[in-house]
Amino acid sequence: MNNPHAVPHAIYGIDKWGKDLIVVNDEGEICLKNPLNPSAPAISLPGILEDLEDRGVAVPMLLRVSSYLESEIRHINESFADAIDRVGYRGKFRGVFPIKVNQQAQVIDRIVEFGAPYSYGLEAGSKPELVIALAHRLAKDALIVCNGVKDEEFISLAILSRKIGFNTVIVLESPKEADTVIEVVKKLGVEPMLGVRVKLTNQITGKWEKSSGDRSTFGMNTDQLVSVLDKLRDAGLLHCLKLQHSHLGSQVPDVNDVRRAVSEACRYYTELTQEGVPLTHLDLGGGMGVDYTGEKSATENSINYTMREYCANVVETVAYAMDGAGIEHPTIVTESGRAVVATSSMLIFNVLEATLYDAPTAPAVEEGDHHLISDLLAITEYISAERLQECWNDATFYRNELRALFHRGYINLRQMARAERIYLHIMARIKHHAAFDDIKVSEEQMARLADIYHCNFSLFQSLPDVWAIDQLHPLVPLQMLNEAPDRRAVLSDITCDSDGKIDRFILADGVSSSVPVHTLPEDKPYYMGAFFVGAYQETLGDLHNLFGDTNVVTIDLRADGGFDLLHEQEGDTISEVLSYVEFDPQDCVAAFRRMVDEAISSGALKSKDRKVLMGAYRDSINGYTYYE
Ligand SMILES: *Cc1c(COP(=O)(O)O)cnc(C)c1O
């Protein structure tokens, strides 16, 4: 960590997790590389922000990079195509994007556009998602796969959509759903395209371990499966059953889990085929992970494979199993969401202020001060690298004693303030020794010494998985990276919730409880970015403290080192978030105006103040929910 030859930003491990998308230039700025055009110069992210600021788009913002999305879609389709070529696989690959992973129109429209040359389709897990899918013109042989619990309405729409050329597959999740489908088909008289969801018993490791395998809430066991086959055969619909579906869970860390699950899925496929089911499609669901930490290991926020390896593993495993059973190679379908969309969005915010956990100088003891204050100050005379822990313990003991005295009224506010400042100065000296004498400070101690950097975003709105499931995203300052960071901080968001903080960070040598940052510059903003937030974060977010959607900007990286602004979506105004919680903004204005008028009537307010007060209220209600 203290390698003098290392570049100042080596501590962040950007070369590990940056994936040739995120790099640092000589000016110490985070830059975006264009994966579609690797020889194009990388574009400075602070430069992009400055330009957007000039155009009137402010932070916090979600920045979507269209080129990244296009690149991932090409990559998954070409990786499968290459594997198919290399293995001599006799089937095709037909991927579908699961809409739930990012339902935003700007994202779905682009996925459909970029996916068209590959006949890439969509996966819908609910009625609204099917409605979205059916509003897109897909390639002739692209699929729409319908998963999830389906009522008659859902099933009818799915079946009827076949009449205008959609390849909509209804995946049966249970024997009861088979009954409903049989009924609807009778009513409509249209042939459906059906699938069955099987429950694999292999458990995967990682975050979704508990919801995989036997206890998975979705899919049918062998007993239910047989019952569905019998129902379909009796209804004369077995010939409509074309697809077998299974889904492992998300962010599968170990590629060997993928292999095991795929072979199990193939066993079902073989058995069903031998039962006389005319299956043509093997859908292996989602689960391909993202290497958030860049560790390349089978751990929670990493994966031990690349996209290419994943695709090769799937194709090889299916080919082997089908050849063994003497069965036609099926069309392979996957529903990868996270791996396709995560890298394409980043959350950018500014640091508003810092609560520093140290003080440059210690105040002198004054007449009448308690002797414990002198004892505390005396520590500054014997503090040294050798006695660091002892000094820390002493300082904490004296400070706690002094707090107790303050609570009981034995020392006054100014005396307590002197004590706190002396304590913080001792912390500054401890940090100095730790940094310059190369003293090992534990992660836990580091966490207790860290500053608090107050940032302009809501964890609950913009990074819900960080709060809910300890998801890690790379998170770094966007500028000054050619200077060694001189402070360590935890980040606190703008909500009034003590849970609204980030205290786990990806660094070059592992996960840390604080992030290296710079002393905040006085004359310019200090931006930070959370990367790879394109999957799941956008719609799981909530309105905690009524912080709404941030501004969203979609850009495309140009070959000449510039960028094009493709789309801007202004963040929620206060008036919008009020209406989400059923307040009528007009009523709010009227109620406030009545109180102002009453105050004028009673003489408490002058008539000319009315304009100022109403103006202030109106400005707020029409403004952005974040710090401006
Ligand atoms: C959520 C989900 C997916 C997407 O999973 P990823 O891990 O994001 O690839 C795919 N299929 C089904 C059925 C899902 O529920």
Side-chain angles (χ1 to χ4, degrees):
M1 215 159 92
N2 286 334
N3 176 3
H5 304 295
V7 288
H9 60 75
I11 192 166
Y12 297 106
I14 298 165
D15 53 346
K16 281 193 190 168
W17 54 256
K19 306 184 195 334
D20 292 329
L21 301 175
I22 315 294
V23 295
V24 179
N25 67 9
D26 292 341
E27 283 73 53
E29 296 169 327
I30 290 283
C31 293
L32 308 181
K33 281 208 60 139
N34 187 346
L36 300 171
N37 202 338
S39 59
I43 307 179
S44 153
L45 187 47
I48 292 175
L49 296 180
E50 210 173 294
D51 187 318
L52 290 174
E53 185 87 28
D54 288 344
R55 302 185 201 203
V57 190
V59 289
M61 79 172 75
L62 188 80
L63 185 70
R64 296 206 186 104
V65 185
S66 185
S67 332
Y68 288 6
L69 187 57
E70 185 172 358
S71 160
E72 299 290 10
I73 288 175
R74 278 198 201 174
H75 194 38
I76 187 171
N77 282 289
E78 283 168 12
S79 296
F80 267 111
D82 289 351
I84 283 171
D85 232 26
R86 196 172 43 77
V87 174
Y89 191 79
R90 292 184 302 278
K92 285 183 260 184
F93 170 70
R94 286 286 173 265
V96 292
F97 178 79
I99 295 177
K100 79 155 191 266
V101 183
N102 191 322
Q103 308 98 325
Q104 300 292 322
Q106 288 297 317
V107 175
I108 298 295
D109 290 352
R110 293 208 157 76
I111 287 174
V112 169
E113 178 195 334
F114 299 145
Y118 308 104
S119 297
Y120 196 56
L122 294 166
E123 185 265 358
S126 65
K127 279 188 274 185
E129 290 179 2
L130 177 59
V131 168
I132 291 176
L134 293 177
H136 289 84
R137 215 174 274 279
L138 298 175
K140 201 164 91 330
D141 54 345
L143 296 170
I144 295 179
V145 178
C146 301
N147 291 315
V149 182
K150 298 171 228 44
D151 62 6
E152 223 183 289
E153 201 173 79
F154 192 163
I155 292 165
S156 301
L157 181 59
I159 295 178
L160 287 172
S161 70
R162 304 250 302 137
K163 291 192 130 193
I164 52 169
F166 282 107
N167 306 304
T168 315
V169 185
I170 299 170
V171 177
L172 302 171
E173 301 259 358
S174 69
K176 180 167 165 278
E177 206 161 270
D179 291 336
T180 321
V181 166
I182 291 166
E183 256 171 59
V184 176
V185 170
K186 271 195 200 129
K187 231 184 275 174
L188 297 176
V190 183
E191 287 258 302
M193 212 172 147
L194 299 177
V196 277
R197 181 161 185 172
V198 301
K199 188 198 299 253
L200 304 182
T201 54
N202 264 309
Q203 277 206 315
I204 55 157
T205 53
K207 271 199 210 309
W208 278 266
E209 182 170 346
K210 285 202 188 66
S211 55
S212 69
D214 225 13
R215 296 299 303 162
S216 156
T217 44
F218 293 103
M220 293 185 272
N221 60 28
T222 46
D223 189 33
Q224 293 166 309
L225 193 58
V226 168
S227 138
V228 165
L229 295 188
D230 293 344
K231 281 172 195 283
L232 291 179
R233 187 173 279 129
D234 289 349
L237 290 176
L238 197 61
H239 65 283
C240 300
L241 186 47
K242 297 290 186 190
L243 177 144
Q244 177 194 304
H245 174 278
S246 53
H247 172 60
L248 279 182
S250 210
Q251 185 65 18
V252 177
D254 188 345
V255 76
N256 286 328
D257 284 345
V258 175
R259 268 194 196 270
R260 267 194 297 277
V262 173
S263 353
E264 191 184 354
C266 290
R267 271 295 297 142
Y268 281 91
Y269 193 95
T270 312
E271 286 290 327
L272 288 177
T273 306
Q274 277 154 7
E275 277 265 332
V277 183
L279 290 175
T280 49
H281 289 67
L282 176 62
D283 181 344
L284 298 162
M288 195 194 306
V290 168
D291 194 358
Y292 292 98
T293 63
E295 291 167 301
K296 297 189 168 71
S297 69
T299 49
E300 265 198 14
N301 291 287
S302 183
I303 48 175
N304 67 358
Y305 53 91
T306 61
M307 195 180 260
R308 283 199 94 71
E309 284 160 21
Y310 178 100
C311 301
N313 268 295
V314 166
V315 175
E316 281 166 16
T317 309
V318 177
Y320 182 80
M322 296 304 151
D323 289 345
I327 289 175
E328 258 321 273
H329 290 176
T331 298
I332 295 173
V333 180
T334 69
E335 306 175 347
S336 286
R338 180 189 300 273
V340 168
V341 83
T343 55
S344 64
S345 299
M346 49 201 80
L347 177 74
I348 315 277
F349 53 86
N350 51 328
V351 179
L352 297 170
E353 62 176 317
T355 300
L356 301 184
Y357 201 72
D358 54 30
T361 56
V365 175
E366 294 187 10
E367 182 123 351
D369 273 358
H370 195 278
H371 72 85
L372 279 175
I373 299 187
S374 317
D375 293 345
L376 188 60
L377 186 63
I379 295 174
T380 60
E381 281 152 33
Y382 60 80
I383 194 167
S384 64
E386 294 72 38
R387 297 177 70 180
L388 220 52
Q389 185 64 52
E390 174 196 347
C391 290
W392 193 341
N393 298 342
D394 290 351
T396 306
F397 177 76
Y398 293 140
R399 193 223 19 206
N400 292 350
E401 288 290 299
L402 283 159
R403 279 184 177 167
L405 290 174
F406 176 66
H407 292 159
R408 294 196 196 93
Y410 293 114
I411 66 171
N412 67 26
L413 181 68
R414 289 192 176 268
Q415 288 167 329
M416 191 61 226
R418 269 198 289 290
E420 294 277 12
R421 181 161 275 273
I422 296 168
Y423 181 80
L424 287 178
H425 179 62
I426 295 168
M427 293 304 120
R429 300 273 295 271
I430 289 174
K431 285 191 207 177
H432 182 87
H433 282 296
F436 292 97
D437 298 335
D438 208 7
I439 309 277
K440 197 91 193 112
V441 175
S442 72
E443 267 303 317
E444 188 228 331
Q445 290 171 323
M446 192 83 96
R448 285 169 53 204
L449 287 171
D451 299 326
I452 302 169
Y453 271 39
H454 302 272
C455 304
N456 195 12
F457 74 99
S458 158
L459 193 69
F460 309 94
Q461 173 63 255
S462 297
L463 297 171
D465 280 350
V466 174
W467 172 62
I469 57 168
D470 289 334
Q471 173 71 55
L472 283 170
H473 290 281
L475 209 166
V476 293
L478 303 186
Q479 65 285 296
M480 297 171 73
L481 296 173
N482 49 1
E483 298 170 33
D486 56 337
R487 309 202 66 92
R488 299 287 288 227
V490 296
L491 305 184
S492 143
D493 77 358
I494 193 172
T495 69
C496 306
D497 194 312
S498 54
D499 256 8
K501 65 173 193 317
I502 304 181
D503 56 7
R504 287 173 75 233
F505 300 92
I506 297 164
L507 296 183
D509 56 3
V511 176
S512 171
S513 55
S514 60
V515 61
V517 286
H518 304 86
T519 298
L520 292 181
E522 283 178 6
D523 50 343
K524 52 178 197 237
Y526 192 76
Y527 295 117
M528 299 193 76
F531 293 88
F532 313 149
V533 303
Y536 299 104
Q537 303 313 286
E538 294 192 39
T539 32
L540 286 178
D542 72 17
L543 287 174
H544 202 16
N545 269 136
L546 297 185
F547 286 105
D549 279 344
T550 64
N551 293 324
V552 184
V553 168
T554 307
I555 61 166
D556 203 22
L557 304 178
R558 277 202 316 255
D560 65 355
F563 75 96
D564 294 320
L565 177 55
L566 299 184
H567 185 260
E568 180 201 351
Q569 195 175 312
E570 280 186 39
D572 287 328
T573 61
I574 290 177
S575 151
E576 280 163 331
V577 298
L578 290 186
S579 53
Y580 299 156
V581 287
E582 308 285 323
F583 280 100
D584 182 335
Q586 292 309 322
D587 289 351
C588 292
V589 171
F592 186 74
R593 190 192 300 119
R594 267 196 304 280
M595 287 184 274
V596 169
D597 286 336
E598 279 163 24
I600 294 172
S601 302
S602 72
L605 199 67
K606 294 199 181 68
S607 300
K608 66 171 170 32
D609 292 335
R610 185 182 194 266
K611 211 163 143 185
V612 179
L613 270 152
M614 289 315 298
Y617 196 86
R618 277 218 187 80
D619 284 351
S620 276
I621 214 165
N622 294 324
Y624 198 18
T625 57
Y626 292 91
Y627 187 97
E628 289 179 280

